[in-house]
PDB file of all heavy atoms in Angstrom:
ATOM      1  N   THR X 143    -144.420 145.647  13.621  1.00 98.00           N
ATOM      2  CA  THR X 143    -145.244 146.791  13.791  1.00 98.00           C
ATOM      3  C   THR X 143    -145.423 146.944  15.350  1.00 98.00           C
ATOM      4  O   THR X 143    -145.429 146.060  16.074  1.00 98.00           O
ATOM      5  CB  THR X 143    -146.749 146.363  13.269  1.00 98.00           C
ATOM      6  OG1 THR X 143    -146.566 146.155  11.822  1.00 98.00           O
ATOM      7  CG2 THR X 143    -147.691 147.600  13.542  1.00 98.00           C
ATOM      8  N   ARG X 144    -145.515 148.259  15.749  1.00 98.00           N
ATOM      9  CA  ARG X 144    -145.323 148.647  17.090  1.00 98.00           C
ATOM     10  C   ARG X 144    -146.705 149.320  17.687  1.00 98.00           C
ATOM     11  O   ARG X 144    -147.425 149.846  16.945  1.00 98.00           O
ATOM     12  CB  ARG X 144    -144.298 149.502  17.428  1.00 98.00           C
ATOM     13  CG  ARG X 144    -142.925 148.836  16.853  1.00 98.00           C
ATOM     14  CD  ARG X 144    -141.673 149.630  17.116  1.00 98.00           C
ATOM     15  NE  ARG X 144    -140.456 148.795  16.793  1.00 98.00           N
ATOM     16  CZ  ARG X 144    -139.905 147.970  17.571  1.00 98.00           C
ATOM     17  NH1 ARG X 144    -140.303 147.722  18.750  1.00 98.00           N
ATOM     18  NH2 ARG X 144    -138.793 147.382  17.162  1.00 98.00           N
ATOM     19  N   ASN X 145    -146.588 149.314  19.028  1.00 98.00           N
ATOM     20  CA  ASN X 145    -147.894 149.786  19.654  1.00 98.00           C
ATOM     21  C   ASN X 145    -147.634 151.254  20.098  1.00 98.00           C
ATOM     22  O   ASN X 145    -146.694 151.691  20.647  1.00 98.00           O
ATOM     23  CB  ASN X 145    -148.061 148.999  20.973  1.00 98.00           C
ATOM     24  CG  ASN X 145    -149.409 149.268  21.715  1.00 98.00           C
ATOM     25  OD1 ASN X 145    -149.864 150.381  21.780  1.00 98.00           O
ATOM     26  ND2 ASN X 145    -149.947 148.212  22.355  1.00 98.00           N
ATOM     27  N   PRO X 146    -148.664 152.085  19.572  1.00 98.00           N
ATOM     28  CA  PRO X 146    -148.421 153.592  19.955  1.00 98.00           C
ATOM     29  C   PRO X 146    -148.488 154.018  21.373  1.00 98.00           C
ATOM     30  O   PRO X 146    -148.037 155.015  21.718  1.00 98.00           O
ATOM     31  CB  PRO X 146    -149.636 154.287  19.121  1.00 98.00           C
ATOM     32  CG  PRO X 146    -150.642 153.091  18.894  1.00 98.00           C
ATOM     33  CD  PRO X 146    -149.897 151.872  18.777  1.00 98.00           C
ATOM     34  N   TRP X 147    -148.995 153.078  22.270  1.00 98.00           N
ATOM     35  CA  TRP X 147    -149.020 153.470  23.712  1.00 98.00           C
ATOM     36  C   TRP X 147    -147.565 153.263  24.296  1.00 98.00           C
ATOM     37  O   TRP X 147    -147.275 153.888  25.233  1.00 98.00           O
ATOM     38  CB  TRP X 147    -149.974 152.665  24.372  1.00 98.00           C
ATOM     39  CG  TRP X 147    -151.363 153.001  24.086  1.00 98.00           C
ATOM     40  CD1 TRP X 147    -152.224 152.450  23.162  1.00 98.00           C
ATOM     41  CD2 TRP X 147    -152.141 154.080  24.586  1.00 98.00           C
ATOM     42  NE1 TRP X 147    -153.393 153.122  23.115  1.00 98.00           N
ATOM     43  CE2 TRP X 147    -153.410 154.097  23.933  1.00 98.00           C
ATOM     44  CE3 TRP X 147    -151.875 155.005  25.575  1.00 98.00           C
ATOM     45  CZ2 TRP X 147    -154.440 154.977  24.315  1.00 98.00           C
ATOM     46  CZ3 TRP X 147    -152.926 155.954  25.958  1.00 98.00           C
ATOM     47  CH2 TRP X 147    -154.121 155.999  25.311  1.00 98.00           C
ATOM     48  N   ASP X 148    -146.858 152.153  23.724  1.00 98.00           N
ATOM     49  CA  ASP X 148    -145.413 151.992  24.208  1.00 98.00           C
ATOM     50  C   ASP X 148    -144.802 151.328  22.975  1.00 98.00           C
ATOM     51  O   ASP X 148    -145.115 150.052  22.647  1.00 98.00           O
ATOM     52  CB  ASP X 148    -145.548 151.046  25.475  1.00 98.00           C
ATOM     53  CG  ASP X 148    -144.081 150.785  25.887  1.00 98.00           C
ATOM     54  OD1 ASP X 148    -143.104 150.830  25.059  1.00 98.00           O
ATOM     55  OD2 ASP X 148    -143.942 150.238  27.029  1.00 98.00           O
ATOM     56  N   THR X 149    -143.935 151.933  22.205  1.00 97.00           N
ATOM     57  CA  THR X 149    -143.592 151.450  20.913  1.00 97.00           C
ATOM     58  C   THR X 149    -142.478 150.178  21.184  1.00 97.00           C
ATOM     59  O   THR X 149    -142.128 149.692  20.149  1.00 97.00           O
ATOM     60  CB  THR X 149    -142.770 152.617  20.154  1.00 97.00           C
ATOM     61  OG1 THR X 149    -141.825 153.162  20.980  1.00 97.00           O
ATOM     62  CG2 THR X 149    -143.866 153.561  19.809  1.00 97.00           C
ATOM     63  N   SER X 150    -142.176 149.924  22.408  1.00 98.00           N
ATOM     64  CA  SER X 150    -141.387 148.679  22.679  1.00 98.00           C
ATOM     65  C   SER X 150    -142.303 147.476  22.637  1.00 98.00           C
ATOM     66  O   SER X 150    -141.874 146.271  22.691  1.00 98.00           O
ATOM     67  CB  SER X 150    -140.678 148.767  23.989  1.00 98.00           C
ATOM     68  OG  SER X 150    -141.469 148.621  25.109  1.00 98.00           O
ATOM     69  N   ARG X 151    -143.688 147.649  22.645  1.00 98.00           N
ATOM     70  CA  ARG X 151    -144.622 146.613  22.753  1.00 98.00           C
ATOM     71  C   ARG X 151    -145.439 146.273  21.419  1.00 98.00           C
ATOM     72  O   ARG X 151    -145.439 147.152  20.442  1.00 98.00           O
ATOM     73  CB  ARG X 151    -145.648 146.947  23.828  1.00 98.00           C
ATOM     74  CG  ARG X 151    -145.152 147.422  25.106  1.00 98.00           C
ATOM     75  CD  ARG X 151    -144.629 146.279  25.926  1.00 98.00           C
ATOM     76  NE  ARG X 151    -144.063 146.762  27.238  1.00 98.00           N
ATOM     77  CZ  ARG X 151    -144.499 146.338  28.444  1.00 98.00           C
ATOM     78  NH1 ARG X 151    -145.407 145.376  28.476  1.00 98.00           N
ATOM     79  NH2 ARG X 151    -143.897 146.665  29.574  1.00 98.00           N
ATOM     80  N   THR X 152    -145.976 145.171  21.297  1.00 98.00           N
ATOM     81  CA  THR X 152    -146.788 144.859  20.162  1.00 98.00           C
ATOM     82  C   THR X 152    -148.183 145.439  20.165  1.00 98.00           C
ATOM     83  O   THR X 152    -148.721 145.702  21.285  1.00 98.00           O
ATOM     84  CB  THR X 152    -146.848 143.191  20.072  1.00 98.00           C
ATOM     85  OG1 THR X 152    -147.743 142.948  18.916  1.00 98.00           O
ATOM     86  CG2 THR X 152    -147.525 142.667  21.355  1.00 98.00           C
ATOM     87  N   PRO X 153    -148.724 145.847  19.119  1.00 98.00           N
ATOM     88  CA  PRO X 153    -150.167 146.200  19.181  1.00 98.00           C
ATOM     89  C   PRO X 153    -151.053 145.021  19.099  1.00 98.00           C
ATOM     90  O   PRO X 153    -152.311 145.207  19.088  1.00 98.00           O
ATOM     91  CB  PRO X 153    -150.200 147.045  17.837  1.00 98.00           C
ATOM     92  CG  PRO X 153    -149.274 146.291  16.921  1.00 98.00           C
ATOM     93  CD  PRO X 153    -148.126 145.938  17.820  1.00 98.00           C
ATOM     94  N   GLY X 154    -150.531 143.894  19.080  1.00 98.00           N
ATOM     95  CA  GLY X 154    -151.401 142.666  18.829  1.00 98.00           C
ATOM     96  C   GLY X 154    -151.653 142.362  17.416  1.00 98.00           C
ATOM     97  O   GLY X 154    -151.012 143.028  16.483  1.00 98.00           O
ATOM     98  N   GLY X 155    -152.310 141.357  17.038  1.00 98.00           N
ATOM     99  CA  GLY X 155    -152.560 141.052  15.638  1.00 98.00           C
ATOM    100  C   GLY X 155    -153.683 140.137  15.533  1.00 98.00           C
ATOM    101  O   GLY X 155    -154.336 139.628  16.506  1.00 98.00           O
ATOM    102  N   SER X 156    -154.034 139.695  14.294  1.00 98.00           N
ATOM    103  CA  SER X 156    -153.374 139.931  13.192  1.00 98.00           C
ATOM    104  C   SER X 156    -153.649 141.271  12.553  1.00 98.00           C
ATOM    105  O   SER X 156    -152.954 141.620  11.563  1.00 98.00           O
ATOM    106  CB  SER X 156    -153.451 138.823  12.155  1.00 98.00           C
ATOM    107  OG  SER X 156    -154.783 138.725  11.620  1.00 98.00           O
ATOM    108  N   SER X 157    -154.661 141.943  12.963  1.00 98.00           N
ATOM    109  CA  SER X 157    -155.003 143.296  12.429  1.00 98.00           C
ATOM    110  C   SER X 157    -154.172 144.324  13.191  1.00 98.00           C
ATOM    111  O   SER X 157    -154.791 145.467  13.456  1.00 98.00           O
ATOM    112  CB  SER X 157    -156.462 143.522  12.548  1.00 98.00           C
ATOM    113  OG  SER X 157    -157.293 142.460  12.008  1.00 98.00           O
ATOM    114  N   GLY X 158    -152.984 144.151  13.426  1.00 98.00           N
ATOM    115  CA  GLY X 158    -152.168 145.044  14.372  1.00 98.00           C
ATOM    116  C   GLY X 158    -151.908 146.310  13.638  1.00 98.00           C
ATOM    117  O   GLY X 158    -151.902 147.451  14.311  1.00 98.00           O
ATOM    118  N   GLY X 159    -151.712 146.421  12.372  1.00 98.00           N
ATOM    119  CA  GLY X 159    -151.412 147.587  11.718  1.00 98.00           C
ATOM    120  C   GLY X 159    -152.601 148.459  11.655  1.00 98.00           C
ATOM    121  O   GLY X 159    -152.494 149.723  11.867  1.00 98.00           O
ATOM    122  N   SER X 160    -153.744 147.984  11.463  1.00 98.00           N
ATOM    123  CA  SER X 160    -155.049 148.689  11.520  1.00 98.00           C
ATOM    124  C   SER X 160    -155.344 149.308  12.902  1.00 98.00           C
ATOM    125  O   SER X 160    -155.616 150.431  13.023  1.00 98.00           O
ATOM    126  CB  SER X 160    -156.281 147.814  11.131  1.00 98.00           C
ATOM    127  OG  SER X 160    -156.176 147.426   9.747  1.00 98.00           O
ATOM    128  N   ALA X 161    -155.063 148.420  13.891  1.00 98.00           N
ATOM    129  CA  ALA X 161    -155.373 148.976  15.300  1.00 98.00           C
ATOM    130  C   ALA X 161    -154.365 150.063  15.663  1.00 98.00           C
ATOM    131  O   ALA X 161    -154.823 151.050  16.265  1.00 98.00           O
ATOM    132  CB  ALA X 161    -155.201 147.791  16.256  1.00 98.00           C
ATOM    133  N   ALA X 162    -153.107 149.856  15.223  1.00 98.00           N
ATOM    134  CA  ALA X 162    -152.120 150.944  15.643  1.00 98.00           C
ATOM    135  C   ALA X 162    -152.405 152.215  15.043  1.00 98.00           C
ATOM    136  O   ALA X 162    -152.316 153.312  15.629  1.00 98.00           O
ATOM    137  CB  ALA X 162    -150.720 150.465  15.119  1.00 98.00           C
ATOM    138  N   LEU X 163    -152.920 152.267  13.645  1.00 98.00           N
ATOM    139  CA  LEU X 163    -153.246 153.479  12.972  1.00 98.00           C
ATOM    140  C   LEU X 163    -154.422 154.295  13.640  1.00 98.00           C
ATOM    141  O   LEU X 163    -154.419 155.422  13.723  1.00 98.00           O
ATOM    142  CB  LEU X 163    -153.441 153.281  11.425  1.00 98.00           C
ATOM    143  CG  LEU X 163    -152.277 152.906  10.631  1.00 98.00           C
ATOM    144  CD1 LEU X 163    -152.645 152.738   9.188  1.00 98.00           C
ATOM    145  CD2 LEU X 163    -151.138 153.904  10.828  1.00 98.00           C
ATOM    146  N   VAL X 164    -155.451 153.377  13.972  1.00 98.00           N
ATOM    147  CA  VAL X 164    -156.568 154.028  14.536  1.00 98.00           C
ATOM    148  C   VAL X 164    -156.249 154.543  15.882  1.00 98.00           C
ATOM    149  O   VAL X 164    -156.565 155.797  16.189  1.00 98.00           O
ATOM    150  CB  VAL X 164    -157.836 153.027  14.687  1.00 98.00           C
ATOM    151  CG1 VAL X 164    -158.879 153.547  15.495  1.00 98.00           C
ATOM    152  CG2 VAL X 164    -158.232 152.624  13.229  1.00 98.00           C
ATOM    153  N   ALA X 165    -155.555 153.867  16.726  1.00 98.00           N
ATOM    154  CA  ALA X 165    -155.035 154.339  18.047  1.00 98.00           C
ATOM    155  C   ALA X 165    -154.233 155.612  18.043  1.00 98.00           C
ATOM    156  O   ALA X 165    -154.384 156.501  18.836  1.00 98.00           O
ATOM    157  CB  ALA X 165    -154.342 153.287  18.870  1.00 98.00           C
ATOM    158  N   ALA X 166    -153.456 155.677  16.920  1.00 98.00           N
ATOM    159  CA  ALA X 166    -152.479 156.837  16.790  1.00 98.00           C
ATOM    160  C   ALA X 166    -153.088 157.992  16.162  1.00 98.00           C
ATOM    161  O   ALA X 166    -152.451 158.974  15.901  1.00 98.00           O
ATOM    162  CB  ALA X 166    -151.338 156.322  16.075  1.00 98.00           C
ATOM    163  N   GLY X 167    -154.443 158.038  15.946  1.00 97.00           N
ATOM    164  CA  GLY X 167    -155.094 159.157  15.336  1.00 97.00           C
ATOM    165  C   GLY X 167    -154.846 159.347  13.900  1.00 97.00           C
ATOM    166  O   GLY X 167    -155.050 160.586  13.296  1.00 97.00           O
ATOM    167  N   VAL X 168    -154.575 158.439  13.071  1.00 98.00           N
ATOM    168  CA  VAL X 168    -154.405 158.622  11.689  1.00 98.00           C
ATOM    169  C   VAL X 168    -155.743 158.658  10.941  1.00 98.00           C
ATOM    170  O   VAL X 168    -155.976 159.588  10.114  1.00 98.00           O
ATOM    171  CB  VAL X 168    -153.433 157.518  11.158  1.00 98.00           C
ATOM    172  CG1 VAL X 168    -153.334 157.662   9.607  1.00 98.00           C
ATOM    173  CG2 VAL X 168    -152.103 157.475  11.823  1.00 98.00           C
ATOM    174  N   MET X 169    -156.524 157.673  11.266  1.00 98.00           N
ATOM    175  CA  MET X 169    -157.881 157.761  10.644  1.00 98.00           C
ATOM    176  C   MET X 169    -158.850 157.124  11.787  1.00 98.00           C
ATOM    177  O   MET X 169    -158.416 156.417  12.671  1.00 98.00           O
ATOM    178  CB  MET X 169    -158.032 157.066   9.307  1.00 98.00           C
ATOM    179  CG  MET X 169    -157.776 155.534   9.488  1.00 98.00           C
ATOM    180  SD  MET X 169    -155.997 155.004   9.564  1.00 98.00           S
ATOM    181  CE  MET X 169    -155.556 155.463   7.766  1.00 98.00           C
ATOM    182  N   PRO X 170    -160.121 157.353  11.552  1.00 98.00           N
ATOM    183  CA  PRO X 170    -160.977 156.867  12.464  1.00 98.00           C
ATOM    184  C   PRO X 170    -161.529 155.360  12.432  1.00 98.00           C
ATOM    185  O   PRO X 170    -161.983 154.783  13.327  1.00 98.00           O
ATOM    186  CB  PRO X 170    -162.408 157.881  12.308  1.00 98.00           C
ATOM    187  CG  PRO X 170    -162.253 158.097  10.837  1.00 98.00           C
ATOM    188  CD  PRO X 170    -160.825 158.249  10.666  1.00 98.00           C
ATOM    189  N   LEU X 171    -161.290 154.836  11.134  1.00 98.00           N
ATOM    190  CA  LEU X 171    -161.718 153.514  10.887  1.00 98.00           C
ATOM    191  C   LEU X 171    -160.653 152.658  10.152  1.00 98.00           C
ATOM    192  O   LEU X 171    -159.927 153.236   9.258  1.00 98.00           O
ATOM    193  CB  LEU X 171    -163.051 153.527   9.953  1.00 98.00           C
ATOM    194  CG  LEU X 171    -164.279 154.060  10.599  1.00 98.00           C
ATOM    195  CD1 LEU X 171    -165.399 154.312   9.589  1.00 98.00           C
ATOM    196  CD2 LEU X 171    -164.837 153.203  11.754  1.00 98.00           C
ATOM    197  N   ALA X 172    -160.663 151.464  10.450  1.00 98.00           N
ATOM    198  CA  ALA X 172    -159.783 150.495   9.609  1.00 98.00           C
ATOM    199  C   ALA X 172    -160.443 149.158   9.554  1.00 98.00           C
ATOM    200  O   ALA X 172    -161.186 148.804  10.463  1.00 98.00           O
ATOM    201  CB  ALA X 172    -158.459 150.501  10.273  1.00 98.00           C
ATOM    202  N   THR X 173    -160.225 148.459   8.497  1.00 98.00           N
ATOM    203  CA  THR X 173    -160.789 147.035   8.329  1.00 98.00           C
ATOM    204  C   THR X 173    -159.870 146.087   9.091  1.00 98.00           C
ATOM    205  O   THR X 173    -158.704 146.261   9.401  1.00 98.00           O
ATOM    206  CB  THR X 173    -161.100 146.689   6.956  1.00 98.00           C
ATOM    207  OG1 THR X 173    -159.709 146.452   6.370  1.00 98.00           O
ATOM    208  CG2 THR X 173    -161.798 147.658   6.224  1.00 98.00           C
ATOM    209  N   GLY X 174    -160.452 144.915   9.441  1.00 98.00           N
ATOM    210  CA  GLY X 174    -159.786 143.805  10.034  1.00 98.00           C
ATOM    211  C   GLY X 174    -160.500 142.542   9.720  1.00 98.00           C
ATOM    212  O   GLY X 174    -161.602 142.473   9.254  1.00 98.00           O
ATOM    213  N   GLY X 175    -159.698 141.479   9.911  1.00 98.00           N
ATOM    214  CA  GLY X 175    -160.268 140.124   9.857  1.00 98.00           C
ATOM    215  C   GLY X 175    -160.065 139.364  11.090  1.00 98.00           C
ATOM    216  O   GLY X 175    -159.092 139.671  11.925  1.00 98.00           O
ATOM    217  N   ASP X 176    -160.943 138.438  11.517  1.00 98.00           N
ATOM    218  CA  ASP X 176    -160.763 137.752  12.795  1.00 98.00           C
ATOM    219  C   ASP X 176    -161.049 136.199  12.637  1.00 98.00           C
ATOM    220  O   ASP X 176    -162.066 135.893  12.349  1.00 98.00           O
ATOM    221  CB  ASP X 176    -161.800 138.369  13.713  1.00 98.00           C
ATOM    222  CG  ASP X 176    -161.537 137.966  15.192  1.00 98.00           C
ATOM    223  OD1 ASP X 176    -161.304 136.797  15.413  1.00 98.00           O
ATOM    224  OD2 ASP X 176    -161.560 138.918  16.108  1.00 98.00           O
TER     225      ASP X 176
END
Side-chain angles (χ1 to χ4, degrees):
T143 299
R144 299 183 179 275
N145 191 320
W147 292 96
D148 180 342
T149 56
S150 72
R151 310 288 180 119
T152 179
S156 63
S157 308
S160 288
L163 291 185
V164 171
V168 177
M169 69 276 291
L171 294 170
T173 68
D176 194 314

